[in-house]
Amino acid sequence: MKEVWRVFRSAILAGVCIGIGGTVYMMVGGVAGAVLFAFGLMTVVLCKYKLYTGTVGFIDFRRGSDWRDLLVIILGNIVGCGLVALLTHFALPDVTAAAEGVLTKRLAKGALQCGALGIGCGFIMTVAVRFAREKQFLPLLFGIPVFILCGFTHSIADAFYYLAAPMSFVAANLGSVLLVYLAIVIGNLIGCNLYRFVLPDDPTLK
């Protein structure tokens, strides 16, 4: 139980980092905002916080404890994003309006397209994290703006956008929001593990 609590607290901090990255992206926008978003992911990697998209590509699918930790991680990430979202609701109304715009676009695309876009993001995230674990950070620095500018969907960043959007808007579309979000989570899982699915026997990818 102590280990689960440690993982959960680490995941909350990772969510806070992503929430900060999402905030600066909502405030600045464009290429500059996408580049600045990378601060959140780089902090997560350097501090070794537990992030869903930095973990799901490296779990052992045969171990129940890995799946348990993954659930704890995504819940902690959402809590961390929620804390930053509360701050934006209180003091940064511009972020709330921008987040509503993101959510509106997600709902317009629907679950299938958003889930497919999540695959692209997941692939980039695992590549970036693999390099970062070897102290090579350029793929992380460039990979984050790439997935944002491509329109690929990141489940934890989206958790922040949804929580930062007006609660009345989220509540009015709750079923669709949850469906889209679940599709992105699954899409990220597939993308993060694409290297395993395509080259399962490659020793360089173990």
Side-chain angles (χ1 to χ4, degrees):
M1 191 62 187
K2 183 182 292 187
E3 175 62 19
V4 171
W5 177 236
R6 186 195 68 77
V7 169
F8 184 66
R9 288 182 297 167
S10 178
I12 291 175
L13 290 174
V16 168
C17 292
I18 300 306
I20 292 171
T23 299
V24 72
Y25 178 61
M26 293 290 94
M27 293 291 290
V28 177
V31 175
V35 172
L36 291 172
F37 189 107
F39 168 82
L41 274 300
M42 293 187 76
T43 303
V44 167
V45 172
L46 289 170
C47 295
K48 298 182 179 179
Y49 295 147
K50 297 292 186 180
L51 183 68
Y52 173 73
T53 50
T55 304
V56 70
F58 304 95
I59 67 170
D60 186 339
F61 290 115
R62 299 165 297 182
R63 289 173 47 176
S65 60
D66 280 12
W67 286 104
R68 177 206 64 197
D69 287 348
L70 199 60
L71 178 60
V72 171
I73 288 168
I74 196 168
L75 290 175
N77 291 165
I78 292 171
V79 169
C81 287
L83 293 175
V84 181
L86 284 175
L87 175 63
T88 64
H89 280 292
F90 177 69
L92 294 170
D94 289 348
V95 171
T96 301
E100 181 179 359
V102 171
L103 180 51
T104 299
K105 290 178 181 179
R106 296 287 193 265
L107 295 177
K109 284 186 179 297
L112 190 60
Q113 288 189 21
C114 287
L117 291 170
I119 296 174
C121 176
F123 179 75
I124 291 171
M125 285 300 301
T126 293
V127 170
V129 171
R130 286 182 64 87
F131 274 99
R133 288 183 174 186
E134 298 175 5
K135 309 300 182 184
Q136 299 180 49
F137 295 103
L138 282 180
L140 186 62
L141 178 62
F142 288 108
I144 307 313
V146 165
F147 87 68
I148 292 175
L149 296 174
C150 284
F152 295 158
T153 50
H154 185 283
S155 53
I156 309 307
D158 267 46
F160 169 72
Y161 301 144
Y162 301 174
L163 292 169
M167 289 297 100
S168 58
F169 181 77
V170 175
N173 298 278
L174 187 59
S176 298
V177 170
L178 292 176
L179 186 60
V180 166
Y181 187 70
L182 179 60
I184 294 171
V185 170
I186 295 172
N188 285 171
L189 184 150
I190 294 170
C192 285
N193 290 281
L194 199 59
Y195 71 101
R196 290 174 167 176
F197 301 147
V198 177
L199 294 173
D201 300 318
D202 189 336
T204 66
L205 298 176
K206 301 300 182 183

